[in-house]
Amino acid sequence: MCSSTFLNLDKEKKDRIIEAALNEFSKQDFGDASITNIVKKAGISRGSFYQYFGNKENIYKYLVHYLYVHHRNDLLHLLIENSGDLYQSMMQFFDAYIDEVVHSKYFSFYKNTFLYVNHHLVGQEGIFSLSHQNRNREEEQLQFIDVINIENLKTDSSKEVLEYIYFIVNTIHHMIIDGFVNDLSVEEIKGKSFRAVDWFYHGIEK
């Protein structure tokens, strides 16, 4: 996805490259996005770009992961604030998440990712794939398990709790995609998403 050389850059330079790439992919779809524009806006050489990422797909995958980490940390903080209450945290998280996706200056990047390159999210190697595991991913999952209160859940299996989060996150993404395709309002997307969280958590049976 990216080289250790990029990871070891100072924060200001990394942020400048990330901002340039997000802006480019927000203005153009993946096929039309230009490495030339990215390096020009970031103030780096083309050689440095290839040293950091190797190709255009790798920087795109890095950006998807970069935003995922940002949102993942938001959910983790909510779980801590809510004493591990999964339902309350999920409702608050998706309320803010949908607002950010729809109103973000990177809206086009989110939209293109959801609609056209969704395999970076949910494919076998996607960041939400349960089969895509590495040491960092396992450590991230343990962070969630450590803060979620499972006393009122129907399981004591950490794997099943992670599966629940996986299913609901992917369901909400489909709600957002449906909103993009059918030109739904933010309120309509939220309404469908909150209903999905409620059904997943409490069930649909009376």
Side-chain angles (χ1 to χ4, degrees), residues 74-206:
D74 286 345
L75 177 55
L76 189 61
H77 292 152
L78 283 171
L79 283 164
I80 294 171
E81 290 175 7
N82 294 321
S83 301
D85 188 306
L86 186 56
Y87 178 76
Q88 182 180 357
S89 299
M90 285 294 218
M91 293 293 264
Q92 291 176 351
F93 171 75
F94 287 120
D95 186 38
Y97 178 66
I98 292 169
D99 274 334
E100 181 166 346
V101 168
V102 175
H103 298 302
S104 170
K105 63 180 178 178
Y106 307 128
F107 167 76
S108 294
F109 177 84
Y110 281 111
K111 184 175 181 179
N112 286 335
T113 300
F114 287 147
L115 291 178
Y116 306 117
V117 285
N118 207 21
H119 59 280
H120 286 320
L121 297 173
V122 298
Q124 187 167 357
E125 295 299 316
I127 56 176
F128 296 132
S129 172
L130 289 178
S131 62
H132 180 47
Q133 297 290 337
N134 55 46
R135 184 173 180 180
N136 288 339
R137 181 74 182 275
E138 291 175 354
E139 290 175 355
E140 290 173 357
Q141 292 177 341
L142 287 174
Q143 285 182 307
F144 276 102
I145 296 303
D146 285 344
V147 299
I148 293 173
N149 181 0
I150 65 172
E151 290 183 0
N152 60 338
L153 302 180
K154 294 179 180 178
T155 178
D156 56 5
S157 165
S158 59
K159 180 180 178 181
E160 289 180 357
V161 174
L162 291 171
E163 285 177 348
Y164 168 83
I165 295 174
Y166 170 82
F167 290 137
I168 194 61
V169 166
N170 280 285
T171 298
I172 301 305
H173 281 154
H174 283 293
M175 298 300 178
I176 296 173
I177 290 171
D178 183 57
F180 291 154
V181 171
N182 294 298
D183 197 27
L184 301 181
S185 68
V186 175
E187 290 72 24
E188 289 173 311
I189 296 172
K190 284 186 177 183
K192 296 177 71 173
S193 298
F194 296 159
R195 189 161 57 248
V197 174
D198 191 69
W199 286 353
F200 264 87
Y201 195 85
H202 294 116
I204 195 172
E205 186 178 25
K206 290 183 178 180

Side-chain angles (χ1 to χ4, degrees), residues 27-55:
K27 293 176 181 176
Q28 307 286 346
D29 61 27
F30 179 81
D32 294 330
S34 166
I35 293 176
T36 298
N37 288 341
I38 294 173
V39 300
K40 182 178 179 180
K41 292 172 186 174
I44 61 173
S45 68
R46 196 176 184 90
S48 293
F49 174 87
Y50 286 110
Q51 182 183 20
Y52 300 153
F53 298 102
N55 56 50

